[in-house]
Amino acid sequence: MTDRRRFPGVFEAISALLMSLAAVTADAAPGAPVAQFQPFKIGTYSAVALKDGGIEAPVDGKSFIVGQPNEAVGAVLKAGGASADHFEFSIQPLLVHAGAHVLLFDTGAGGFFGAIAGKLPESMKAAGENPASVTDIFISHAHGDHIGGLETSTGALAFPNATIHISAPEWKWLSGLSADEAKNFGIQQVSALVSAIKPKVVAFEPGADLLPGIVKAVELKGHTPGHSGYRIGSGTDGVLVFGDAMHSYLVSVRKPSWQVAFDGDKQLGATTRIALIKSSAASGQRLYSEHFPFPGIGKIVKGKDGASWQAESLH
């Protein structure tokens, strides 16, 4: 079942967010994103954060955090040094060179979100990366800001030589979306997209060891039917890419129990978030976020006032 009954409130929440995006896009020229990249290491692997764009969402009780007073949400943002009236989410896929493999984790928004995103090709070019060299793409979930970059503006595959890895539940869900449903998740012309990528898709069972010793899927439930994170490498230098299990480097980390409007299962999403923060803080796991401030690499640390995001120093 892929209708509104399965995701109560999610369609409305994402529709509200997309309406706000449309308003931002209409006058986005002065603040339009520019090509940006940041290299770093994952053990012996060479990685690069690639800026695709950014999203703003108002603190209004429906566009992101639900069930909490706006004043309380704003206070957490303000305490972290951010504006109290809106959220700012970066969009930054991750590219990794691992031996003969060139790995891309999600693909940004492509043309789905207008002028506020879609800079992945330019950021790759600036970093000296060739889309044709990408061998494997790992999709965390099927929302427009994560799969929009799979196609070019003409409908061709943006990464023609890449296998597209996506969890079996997520692929089934994406393939079953109607055009109207897909638009509510930021996806345009879903039938054409599914048809274009289908020959390249390899669906996996949640938690599968995808490239042994290199990439392992990590089931992170709640956001979408088959939402997946990915563990790259191992040991203290390894990195967990956690998709949309967390969005805000302030609110998601400091108040993980607060529910998110566009989590398909809000309570399960919160439960996953709480567990992720607890385990990451205890282990010192390096994390990569596609929505925290660029370049999105860091750790969760515990202090006297609770958990917080500690960005990794790369300079």
Side-chain angles (χ1 to χ4, degrees), residues 234-239 283-286 299:
S234 60
T236 57
D237 286 331
V239 168
S283 66
Q285 171 72 63
R286 295 175 80 202
K299 295 180 179 181

PDB file of all heavy atoms in Angstrom, residues 234-239 283-286 299:
ATOM      1  N   SER A 234      36.117   0.034   8.089  1.00  0.00           N
ATOM      2  CA  SER A 234      35.914  -0.544   9.413  1.00  0.00           C
ATOM      3  C   SER A 234      36.860   0.102  10.403  1.00  0.00           C
ATOM      4  O   SER A 234      37.722   0.906  10.031  1.00  0.00           O
ATOM      5  CB  SER A 234      36.149  -2.056   9.376  1.00  0.00           C
ATOM      6  OG  SER A 234      37.477  -2.337   8.949  1.00  0.00           O
ATOM      7  N   GLY A 235      36.684  -0.252  11.660  1.00  0.00           N
ATOM      8  CA  GLY A 235      37.558   0.283  12.696  1.00  0.00           C
ATOM      9  C   GLY A 235      37.306   1.755  12.963  1.00  0.00           C
ATOM     10  O   GLY A 235      36.298   2.334  12.547  1.00  0.00           O
ATOM     11  N   THR A 236      38.255   2.383  13.628  1.00  0.00           N
ATOM     12  CA  THR A 236      38.077   3.773  14.062  1.00  0.00           C
ATOM     13  C   THR A 236      38.051   4.755  12.896  1.00  0.00           C
ATOM     14  O   THR A 236      37.508   5.856  13.035  1.00  0.00           O
ATOM     15  CB  THR A 236      39.207   4.177  15.030  1.00  0.00           C
ATOM     16  OG1 THR A 236      40.481   3.972  14.386  1.00  0.00           O
ATOM     17  CG2 THR A 236      39.156   3.346  16.299  1.00  0.00           C
ATOM     18  N   ASP A 237      38.612   4.364  11.754  1.00  0.00           N
ATOM     19  CA  ASP A 237      38.616   5.267  10.601  1.00  0.00           C
ATOM     20  C   ASP A 237      37.382   5.095   9.721  1.00  0.00           C
ATOM     21  O   ASP A 237      37.159   5.887   8.810  1.00  0.00           O
ATOM     22  CB  ASP A 237      39.869   5.047   9.751  1.00  0.00           C
ATOM     23  CG  ASP A 237      41.118   5.623  10.398  1.00  0.00           C
ATOM     24  OD1 ASP A 237      40.984   6.605  11.155  1.00  0.00           O
ATOM     25  OD2 ASP A 237      42.214   5.094  10.155  1.00  0.00           O
ATOM     26  N   GLY A 238      36.595   4.042   9.967  1.00  0.00           N
ATOM     27  CA  GLY A 238      35.410   3.816   9.161  1.00  0.00           C
ATOM     28  C   GLY A 238      34.388   4.914   9.345  1.00  0.00           C
ATOM     29  O   GLY A 238      34.412   5.670  10.324  1.00  0.00           O
ATOM     30  N   VAL A 239      33.461   5.023   8.398  1.00  0.00           N
ATOM     31  CA  VAL A 239      32.446   6.083   8.412  1.00  0.00           C
ATOM     32  C   VAL A 239      31.073   5.472   8.171  1.00  0.00           C
ATOM     33  O   VAL A 239      30.908   4.611   7.299  1.00  0.00           O
ATOM     34  CB  VAL A 239      32.739   7.148   7.331  1.00  0.00           C
ATOM     35  CG1 VAL A 239      31.552   8.082   7.141  1.00  0.00           C
ATOM     36  CG2 VAL A 239      33.974   7.950   7.698  1.00  0.00           C
ATOM     37  N   SER A 283      30.710   4.668  20.857  1.00  0.00           N
ATOM     38  CA  SER A 283      31.768   4.030  20.071  1.00  0.00           C
ATOM     39  C   SER A 283      32.755   5.013  19.470  1.00  0.00           C
ATOM     40  O   SER A 283      33.847   4.622  19.051  1.00  0.00           O
ATOM     41  CB  SER A 283      31.148   3.205  18.939  1.00  0.00           C
ATOM     42  OG  SER A 283      30.501   4.053  17.995  1.00  0.00           O
ATOM     43  N   GLY A 284      32.369   6.289  19.378  1.00  0.00           N
ATOM     44  CA  GLY A 284      33.209   7.258  18.687  1.00  0.00           C
ATOM     45  C   GLY A 284      33.152   7.114  17.179  1.00  0.00           C
ATOM     46  O   GLY A 284      34.027   7.605  16.456  1.00  0.00           O
ATOM     47  N   GLN A 285      32.105   6.460  16.690  1.00  0.00           N
ATOM     48  CA  GLN A 285      31.929   6.216  15.257  1.00  0.00           C
ATOM     49  C   GLN A 285      31.983   7.524  14.455  1.00  0.00           C
ATOM     50  O   GLN A 285      31.291   8.490  14.774  1.00  0.00           O
ATOM     51  CB  GLN A 285      30.576   5.548  15.014  1.00  0.00           C
ATOM     52  CG  GLN A 285      30.145   5.425  13.567  1.00  0.00           C
ATOM     53  CD  GLN A 285      30.931   4.393  12.809  1.00  0.00           C
ATOM     54  OE1 GLN A 285      30.883   3.221  13.128  1.00  0.00           O
ATOM     55  NE2 GLN A 285      31.686   4.831  11.813  1.00  0.00           N
ATOM     56  N   ARG A 286      32.833   7.560  13.438  1.00  0.00           N
ATOM     57  CA  ARG A 286      32.792   8.690  12.498  1.00  0.00           C
ATOM     58  C   ARG A 286      31.510   8.607  11.681  1.00  0.00           C
ATOM     59  O   ARG A 286      31.089   7.532  11.266  1.00  0.00           O
ATOM     60  CB  ARG A 286      33.996   8.659  11.552  1.00  0.00           C
ATOM     61  CG  ARG A 286      35.328   8.858  12.228  1.00  0.00           C
ATOM     62  CD  ARG A 286      36.456   8.678  11.220  1.00  0.00           C
ATOM     63  NE  ARG A 286      36.653   9.861  10.393  1.00  0.00           N
ATOM     64  CZ  ARG A 286      37.252   9.837   9.190  1.00  0.00           C
ATOM     65  NH1 ARG A 286      37.648   8.687   8.669  1.00  0.00           N
ATOM     66  NH2 ARG A 286      37.429  10.953   8.519  1.00  0.00           N
ATOM     67  N   LYS A 299      31.448  13.557  14.441  1.00  0.00           N
ATOM     68  CA  LYS A 299      31.070  12.568  15.440  1.00  0.00           C
ATOM     69  C   LYS A 299      29.989  13.138  16.351  1.00  0.00           C
ATOM     70  O   LYS A 299      29.815  14.358  16.434  1.00  0.00           O
ATOM     71  CB  LYS A 299      32.269  12.178  16.311  1.00  0.00           C
ATOM     72  CG  LYS A 299      33.406  11.478  15.606  1.00  0.00           C
ATOM     73  CD  LYS A 299      34.516  11.144  16.590  1.00  0.00           C
ATOM     74  CE  LYS A 299      35.673  10.413  15.908  1.00  0.00           C
ATOM     75  NZ  LYS A 299      36.741  10.065  16.874  1.00  0.00           N
TER      76      LYS A 299
END
